[in-house]
């Protein structure tokens, strides 16, 4: 049940895998220090040593940070905005992306439409030249992906950074989580700007899901024509089965989210969603090789764990500036696809097991859930033995090699 008393629609209850896509001017430098997972690195270290390549515009402004040193060495300290002009998306093939996502077993796809750098990937109203239509790729990157995703039978959502917009403000760089909270645009002008963007996304794309990030401008939390309340009322009217996440800074969410090792307390109720990249970054980080990227087996194990605890996995893909899925990420996605084709149908109409419903031996790791007519058990050993308490039919699935 959501904060507003709304049950998740059936499609969201059955969904178990989404694909996140972080793509922007930050994909040109494509660099971050791979320090570790969000939530596992102390807050006083995280921002100067940020593992998120999509935070490049912030990290390079922190004096003495490895990113600032990298930027000075590789790009001569050029303005971040130059990367928008250097981004051409010349190999972008949304149809091929959508087919890959379908083959992996995705239920829905959520691209970034505007990240914290303020660059919109469609001709967003009022954005001037801070769009991929006005500069760089010189085209709308969202519409063809929406069409391709839906042509493959998947649902389509949108990510929008409502809480941060570094192009809209002149605050100093964020050096702590407290500064993310305090140094953000909260005024009526930014609220009207963000409100118009999201209304346009709703009216153009009718997204099945809106994934807001960080917060929402405080001015929009008051009653009025540009209020968050009116925005979401419009969304519910246009997309009655649509859902929203929990990152609005207001009690309007339909489901809770966690991210890497952050906000894991939200992984409690049915319908929660865990998001992370294949490596430590969401945006493409050229530093992340196979040793820093989930293997097919590791991804399968993560997926089974999330599903068994009543959640959905929102797995991120970070394309190159050209628009290619990096080989190291494709290796994992294509490698896990055959396993997912077997397991994915076994997640429909699932529910969590009660303690003591099954006994599993001869396996060092296992996860399980119940469907309408059977128990599904994923183990790390083909020799595992499963004994259900009530004699139910058991489907035993071994993790990929």
């Amino acid at each position: 049940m959501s904060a507003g008393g709304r049950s998740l629609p059936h499609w969201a209850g059955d969904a178990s895998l989404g694909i996140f896509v972080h793509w922007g001017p930050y994909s040109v430098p494509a660099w971050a220090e791979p320090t570790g997972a969000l939530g596992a690195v102390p807050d006083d270290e995280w921002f100067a040593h940020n593992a998120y390549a999509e935070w490049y515009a912030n990290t390079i402004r922190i004096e003495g940070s490895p990113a600032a040193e990298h930027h000075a060495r590789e790009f001569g300290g050029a303005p971040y905005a130059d990367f928008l002009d250097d981004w051409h998306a010349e190999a972008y093939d949304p149809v091929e992306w959508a087919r890959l996502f379908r083959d992996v077993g995705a239920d829905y796809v959520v691209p970034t439409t505007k990240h914290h750098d303020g660059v919109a990937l469609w001709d967003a109203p009022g954005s001037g030249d801070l769009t991929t239509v006005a500069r760089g790729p010189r085209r709308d990157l969202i519409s063809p992906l929406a069409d391709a995703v839906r042509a493959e039978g998947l649902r389509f959502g949108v990510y929008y950074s409502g809480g941060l917009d570094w192009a809209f403000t002149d605050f100093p760089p964020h050096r702590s989580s407290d500064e993310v909270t305090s140094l953000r645009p909260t005024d009526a002008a930014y609220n009207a700007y963000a409100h118009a963007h999201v209304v346009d996304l709703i009216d153009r794309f009718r997204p099945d899901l809106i994934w807001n990030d960080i917060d929402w401008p405080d001015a929009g939390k008051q009653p009025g024509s540009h209020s968050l309340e009116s925005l979401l009322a419009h969304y519910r009217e246009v997309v009655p089965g649509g859902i929203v996440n929990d990152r609005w800074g207001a009690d309007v969410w339909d489901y809770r989210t966690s991210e890497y090792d952050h906000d894991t307390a939200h992984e409690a109720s049915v319908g929660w969603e865990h998001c992370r990249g294949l490596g430590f970054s969401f945006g493409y980080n050229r530093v992340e090789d196979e040793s820093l990227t989930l293997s097919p087996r590791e991804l399968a194990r993560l997926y089974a764990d999330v599903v068994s605890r009543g959640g959905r996995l929102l797995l991120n893909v970070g394309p190159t500036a050209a628009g290619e899925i990096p080989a190291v990420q494709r290796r994992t996605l294509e490698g896990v696809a055959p396993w997912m084709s077997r397991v994915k149908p076994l997640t429909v109409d699932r529910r969590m097991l009660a303690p003591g419903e099954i006994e599993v031996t001869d396996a060092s790791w296992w996860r399980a859930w119940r469907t309408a007519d059977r128990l599904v058990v994923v183990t790390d050993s083909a020799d595992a033995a499963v004994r259900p308490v009530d004699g139910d039919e058991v489907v035993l699935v071994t993790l990929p090699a």
Side-chain angles (χ1 to χ4, degrees), residues 107-180:
D107 299 290
Y108 57 103
V109 176
V110 184
T112 51
T113 64
K114 187 203 77 165
H115 206 263
H116 311 328
D117 59 8
V119 176
L121 276 64
W122 87 108
D123 53 334
S127 290
D129 68 350
L130 279 178
T131 76
T132 59
V133 177
R135 292 165 62 185
R138 298 280 179 176
R139 60 192 186 278
D140 175 356
L141 301 176
I142 301 300
S143 294
L145 182 59
D147 292 342
V149 161
R150 285 174 165 149
E152 294 298 337
L154 312 182
R155 290 184 179 267
F156 183 76
V158 294
Y159 165 106
Y160 184 83
S161 176
L164 293 182
D165 191 318
W166 299 322
F168 203 90
T169 59
D170 57 2
F171 291 126
H174 303 295
R175 300 171 185 267
S176 69
S177 294
D178 286 343
E179 289 186 350
V180 172

